[in-house]
Amino acid sequence: MITATTDPGESSPSQSAHLSAYFLRDSGNQLRLVASKNNFADSNGSWGNAGEIGTAHFGPDDGMMVTGGTSQQGYSSESTDFYAFRNGGIVSLGMVPTGWSNDDAAATENEAITVTGKVETDLPQPDRVRVTYMRSAHGEDNRTGVAIWHSQNGQFVLEAGSIPEEIAENFDLDANVVAKNGTPIGSADAAPSAIAGKTLWSINDAGMEQPESAIIEAIKQDPNYPSICRLTGKKMLPSLSEGAATWFVTTSNRCDAGAGLAPVWIVSVGPTGKASIVLSEFLRAVKIQDSRHGDFRDIVVNGDAKLPDSGDIYSFDGTTYRKTKS
């Protein structure tokens, strides 16, 4: 179990959460605490958010990855910290950059660039991760590159493959990382894989862009829309609905946001292009569930930035999402 705490006082963009780990064992239908690691690391998120925590595997060791992002003056970045549960402790393997965007700072649409990365662990050789980078820019064809990162002395270095120029230029990477950019990698590591669908969508995600005009117009009709704010979002893959595309949309540069929460809309776009709002809430993140009601998957809506793993279950009633369980 991972917990996150913040220091007393008002939250700020630079505030991190202190992460602690508790190891529990099933003992006669009861969970027994066998070890704890208090404040083993700080999160890489902003506004005191813990970030998105997922499982990872490094050879014989289990582990976890913590992904967080920051946004400032129209630029956003995302990185992932990796940890291995090893020798009775938690070993930090280092950080890998996984996303970047200048969408809200670009003077024109043609200058907007977004980089997103899909992370994979459990590679044949230990303490390595593979990141598939997707670079999209208006007016250009999308480009995909694969990079193999190797942890050495608590820091990831680029072992082989290629990273987008925006990642090389906008992260504080060592010279040897830049020097190895473009190094060929073996066919097994370079083999393309399907881009995995996200199960957690957050207002802190990097790589968002201005939605289609039909989505913007639908949101502008919502009484909850703050008219002074620009909108940014991303198409949800996989979609919440088998019969329509869905978009996760929030406000740019944390406009009308506070306490780690922001206005969020989920918009459904049917085959005819008609956009309809199916969720309008002030929240931090939504987590996608396997269960369905009608044509839409259920979601867990998190409205408490200090309790990132909490939330209420929302189900689709044929028109909109409504809370069905706390």
Side-chain angles (χ1 to χ4, degrees):
M1 180 175 66
I2 307 297
T3 64
T5 59
T6 55
D7 296 327
E10 295 184 0
S11 61
S12 66
S14 61
Q15 185 180 24
S16 297
H18 307 304
L19 302 179
S20 297
Y22 300 88
F23 298 86
L24 307 172
R25 178 176 297 162
D26 188 357
S27 177
N29 296 325
Q30 291 185 337
L31 293 177
R32 182 169 60 89
L33 179 66
V34 295
S36 64
K37 303 293 179 182
N38 295 323
N39 298 332
F40 68 88
D42 286 343
S43 70
N44 56 8
S46 57
W47 298 93
N49 292 316
E52 181 179 347
I53 301 175
T55 58
H57 302 279
F58 303 98
D61 302 313
D62 291 329
M64 66 180 179
M65 49 187 175
V66 183
T67 300
T70 61
S71 180
Q72 188 174 12
Q73 297 180 341
Y75 296 88
S76 58
S77 61
E78 184 178 85
S79 60
T80 301
D81 292 325
F82 295 87
Y83 303 90
F85 304 141
R86 185 171 294 165
N87 299 325
I90 301 177
V91 177
S92 174
L93 300 179
M95 176 277 292
V96 171
T98 49
W100 183 87
S101 175
N102 69 344
D103 188 66
D104 292 324
T108 65
E109 285 190 1
N110 289 334
E111 297 178 30
I113 299 172
T114 297
V115 176
T116 57
K118 173 207 166 187
V119 175
E120 297 169 275
T121 64
D122 203 14
L123 299 186
Q125 299 185 72
D127 293 357
R128 285 165 172 79
V129 299
R130 176 168 64 182
V131 181
T132 302
Y133 292 101
M134 174 69 75
R135 181 186 185 274
S136 60
H138 292 283
E140 298 181 19
D141 292 334
N142 292 343
R143 302 203 309 253
T144 301
V146 178
I148 305 297
W149 296 84
H150 178 206
S151 176
Q152 296 179 347
N153 300 320
Q155 184 175 4
F156 275 98
V157 298
L158 185 66
E159 180 171 289
S162 60
I163 59 177
E165 55 267 34
E166 290 78 18
I167 296 294
E169 294 171 358
N170 293 284
F171 287 82
D172 188 19
L173 303 178
D174 288 344
N176 65 338
V177 172
V178 179
K180 283 193 172 182
N181 193 19
T183 303
I185 60 179
S187 58
D189 287 332
S193 58
I195 298 297
K198 283 169 61 69
T199 58
L200 183 70
W201 292 82
S202 167
I203 60 174
N204 300 315
D205 286 349
M208 294 192 187
E209 59 186 6
Q210 182 173 307
E212 303 168 359
S213 58
I215 295 173
I216 294 175
E217 291 305 314
I219 293 176
K220 285 184 176 180
Q221 305 306 312
D222 182 28
N224 294 331
Y225 168 65
S227 58
I228 62 172
C229 298
R230 291 178 57 196
L231 297 172
T232 187
K234 200 167 185 180
K235 189 176 182 179
M236 303 175 77
L237 297 174
S239 174
L240 292 175
S241 168
E242 293 182 351
T246 49
W247 277 70
F248 181 94
V249 183
T250 185
T251 52
S252 296
N253 297 324
R254 295 196 165 272
C255 181
D256 204 45
L261 309 177
V264 168
W265 298 266
I266 293 179
V267 182
S268 169
V269 182
T272 63
K274 181 180 179 181
S276 303
I277 297 173
V278 294
L279 179 75
S280 174
E281 295 280 350
F282 199 75
L283 55 85
R284 185 192 74 89
V286 297
K287 188 173 183 179
I288 314 305
Q289 305 296 286
D290 291 331
S291 56
R292 291 179 179 272
H293 282 80
D295 189 38
F296 285 77
R297 296 171 67 177
D298 294 343
I299 57 176
V300 175
V301 174
N302 172 260
D304 190 340
K306 293 184 178 180
L307 296 171
D309 292 327
S310 67
D312 300 318
I313 295 178
Y314 278 59
S315 300
F316 190 67
D317 68 358
T319 303
T320 188
Y321 274 97
R322 298 187 185 279
K323 184 169 71 173
T324 55
K325 186 177 180 181
S326 297

